[in-house]
Amino acid sequence: MENMVGKSPELPPDMLSSIFALLEIPDLVRAGSVCSSWRSVYTGLRRQLLKHKQRQTPCLLYHTSESTGENAACLYSLVEKRAYKLTLPDPPIRSRYLIGSSHGWLITSDERSELHLVNPITGEQIGLPSVITLEQVKPVFDDEGAIHKYELWKPRYTALAEFLGHEPSIYALDELRDHLYFKAYLFPDSQTGSYIVVLIHNPEYQISFARAGDCGWTFLPPGWNYQECIYKDGLLYAVTGTGAVDAFDLSGSTVTRTTVLGDMKHYICEHIYIVQAPWGDMLQVWREQPTVDGDAGSENIEETSKIFVYKIDMAAKKLVEINGLHGHVLFLGHSQTLCLSVEEYPQLKANCVYFTDDEEYISMYKNLHRDIGVLNLENSSREEIVPRIYCTWPNPIWIAPSLRMMHS
């Protein structure tokens, strides 16, 4: 991250630590680069993470052709309205797919379609269980016994299984990720004091999960068509493309599934999200992205035009439309959906939705304009966050910076 310039005042370390603990992380990292004494305070604060109580405003992480190097990414601060350069560990960020973002960590896929957790602020990286431990993926070996392709098997547990048949598709190592991964999430796991990773994947948008230290992925049959998940008190809530919500109890030795909400519609024309609101309600968010004409000489693009917010009434098993967010904001995209209070994040605009791209096959849109902006729920007006850019790769994604370490 870029360094600040100028001389630092000689303040006592305790006073510096108290000041640093109030900073947003982009400012904190810059402060740690000023001089050796500030660096020492910053390093000590990282070791005592509970002292760093400042809530972190989400930032936009992206890579452009102007980024320097294959490992460089830009972190755009909504607070300062400026971008910082980050250097991430190998493999190069330019070669990865961003499958998700949660709690300050990216979930990425490398050129062998293997998954990693990456903290772009600290540079920490953790390998996740191999892709070949997913129930739907089988390795194909060459004559020397090395994996050189993958088989992706059709579902066996859905209503479409008989129609789709049971013959696998064959993909090269770097091609599988285009057809397998949809979204991934990282959640704190109170049972173990560590974390759990949840993966929505093909065929048919099914779910698998892994806890810290697991050697493989655990598949959750028989549901399908899932669009997003949240994890609360040992329960994984997953919303489908038709608005249904299933709850998986992951707290016991055997996983159980309960249908919390039935289908709310019969077809899919919007992106659907699920999020826990700060005031306690669980929300569904529906996002309309009609296709519009692109710039001269370019392909048509999808642009966010309307967003609808609903409270999930679990007792009545129905959705209740909410007229506005009343002092709150939403963050939508290929990251974990967030609902935040502007009282706690005063730099954000109340009753607005901050959004980025959320395409299923995002690699098909590498060189097109991105659907990034802020939508006002009151009048459906939209404005740009950063100047309209071609993001070469990977796809832009929201991330709330974090210094917390993970232990596998």
Side-chain angles (χ1 to χ4, degrees), residues 8-181:
S8 60
E10 294 296 330
L11 295 176
D14 288 348
M15 184 179 294
L16 275 177
S17 182
S18 297
I19 295 172
F20 283 9
L22 299 176
L23 297 177
E24 296 262 351
I25 283 179
D27 287 332
L28 177 62
V29 176
R30 285 200 305 160
S33 303
V34 170
C35 61
S36 59
S37 61
W38 284 32
R39 181 70 182 179
S40 177
V41 173
Y42 162 72
T43 303
L45 191 61
R46 282 186 54 180
R47 295 195 189 104
Q48 304 175 56
L49 295 173
L50 291 177
K51 283 188 176 182
H52 194 246
K53 300 176 182 178
Q54 174 71 10
R55 294 180 175 88
Q56 297 301 311
T57 305
C59 298
L60 184 67
L61 186 139
Y62 60 96
H63 183 287
T64 71
S65 57
E66 288 76 30
S67 299
T68 304
E70 294 287 291
N71 292 72
C74 295
L75 189 72
Y76 183 84
S77 168
L78 295 174
V79 176
E80 298 187 58
K81 296 181 171 54
R82 59 169 295 183
Y84 297 90
K85 188 183 81 172
L86 298 174
T87 301
L88 278 67
D90 285 327
I93 187 66
R94 185 78 170 82
S95 69
R96 304 191 197 216
Y97 286 14
L98 299 184
I99 311 300
S101 166
S102 304
H103 297 280
W105 288 72
L106 303 172
I107 302 97
T108 74
S109 174
D110 64 20
E111 291 181 307
R112 294 181 63 88
S113 298
E114 298 287 3
L115 295 174
H116 307 266
L117 297 176
V118 182
N119 187 320
I121 301 298
T122 67
E124 185 182 5
Q125 182 166 235
I126 299 172
L128 293 175
S130 176
V131 65
I132 63 173
T133 65
L134 286 167
E135 181 168 317
Q136 296 81 359
V137 178
K138 306 300 178 188
V140 178
F141 299 94
D142 61 19
D143 294 338
E144 298 180 355
I147 299 174
H148 75 124
K149 292 181 180 180
Y150 298 114
E151 293 178 349
L152 179 60
W153 286 81
K154 301 295 190 299
R156 291 184 289 165
Y157 300 100
T158 73
L160 297 179
E162 183 176 348
F163 173 76
L164 292 173
H166 298 285
E167 291 301 316
S169 300
I170 308 296
Y171 297 109
L173 299 185
D174 63 342
E175 292 177 339
L176 179 67
R177 56 186 177 173
D178 280 306
H179 304 273
L180 177 62
Y181 299 128

Side-chain angles (χ1 to χ4, degrees), residues 321-340:
E321 187 169 2
I322 294 176
N323 183 23
L325 290 171
H326 310 295
H328 292 77
V329 302
L330 287 169
F331 281 84
L332 304 181
H334 219 65
S335 53
Q336 181 181 353
T337 300
L338 298 175
C339 182
L340 306 176

Side-chain angles (χ1 to χ4, degrees), residues 104-280:
W105 288 72
L106 303 172
I107 302 97
T108 74
S109 174
D110 64 20
E111 291 181 307
R112 294 181 63 88
S113 298
E114 298 287 3
L115 295 174
H116 307 266
L117 297 176
V118 182
N119 187 320
I121 301 298
T122 67
E124 185 182 5
Q125 182 166 235
I126 299 172
L128 293 175
S130 176
V131 65
I132 63 173
T133 65
L134 286 167
E135 181 168 317
Q136 296 81 359
V137 178
K138 306 300 178 188
V140 178
F141 299 94
D142 61 19
D143 294 338
E144 298 180 355
I147 299 174
H148 75 124
K149 292 181 180 180
Y150 298 114
E151 293 178 349
L152 179 60
W153 286 81
K154 301 295 190 299
R156 291 184 289 165
Y157 300 100
T158 73
L160 297 179
E162 183 176 348
F163 173 76
L164 292 173
H166 298 285
E167 291 301 316
S169 300
I170 308 296
Y171 297 109
L173 299 185
D174 63 342
E175 292 177 339
L176 179 67
R177 56 186 177 173
D178 280 306
H179 304 273
L180 177 62
Y181 299 128
F182 178 47
K183 286 185 177 181
Y185 304 90
L186 171 73
F187 300 112
D189 187 3
S190 59
Q191 290 183 303
T192 64
S194 190
Y195 62 85
I196 180 173
V197 178
V198 177
L199 180 64
I200 302 178
H201 57 82
N202 282 311
E204 301 305 319
Y205 305 102
Q206 298 173 304
I207 294 179
S208 297
F209 76 95
R211 288 191 169 91
D214 284 356
C215 296
W217 295 93
T218 299
F219 179 52
L220 295 181
W224 62 291
N225 191 26
Y226 294 113
Q227 302 296 300
E228 187 168 53
C229 302
I230 58 174
Y231 186 64
K232 179 184 178 185
D233 301 328
L235 293 176
L236 179 71
Y237 296 90
V239 64
T240 73
T242 54
V245 177
D246 289 336
F248 296 90
D249 188 345
L250 307 184
S251 61
S253 57
T254 302
V255 176
T256 59
R257 184 185 75 152
T258 303
T259 297
V260 175
L261 187 69
D263 291 338
M264 294 292 104
K265 56 180 185 172
H266 301 293
Y267 57 92
I268 303 172
C269 63
E270 306 99 346
H271 292 287
I272 295 186
Y273 307 87
I274 188 169
V275 63
Q276 184 76 40
W279 60 87

Side-chain angles (χ1 to χ4, degrees), residues 294-368:
D295 297 333
S298 69
E299 299 181 31
N300 293 343
I301 58 176
E302 291 185 348
E303 284 196 348
T304 299
S305 61
K306 289 186 178 180
I307 291 174
F308 302 93
V309 184
Y310 303 90
K311 169 189 171 182
I312 301 175
D313 188 332
M314 295 191 181
K317 293 188 177 298
K318 67 178 184 179
L319 297 179
V320 180
E321 187 169 2
I322 294 176
N323 183 23
L325 290 171
H326 310 295
H328 292 77
V329 302
L330 287 169
F331 281 84
L332 304 181
H334 219 65
S335 53
Q336 181 181 353
T337 300
L338 298 175
C339 182
L340 306 176
S341 166
V342 294
E343 184 177 347
E344 297 178 352
Y345 299 85
Q347 299 85 358
L348 302 178
K349 298 179 180 180
N351 206 30
C352 287
V353 179
Y354 294 72
F355 59 87
T356 64
D357 288 299
D358 193 17
E359 294 298 333
E360 174 189 0
Y361 299 109
I362 194 70
S363 62
M364 296 173 58
Y365 304 91
K366 282 186 177 182
N367 298 311
L368 297 182

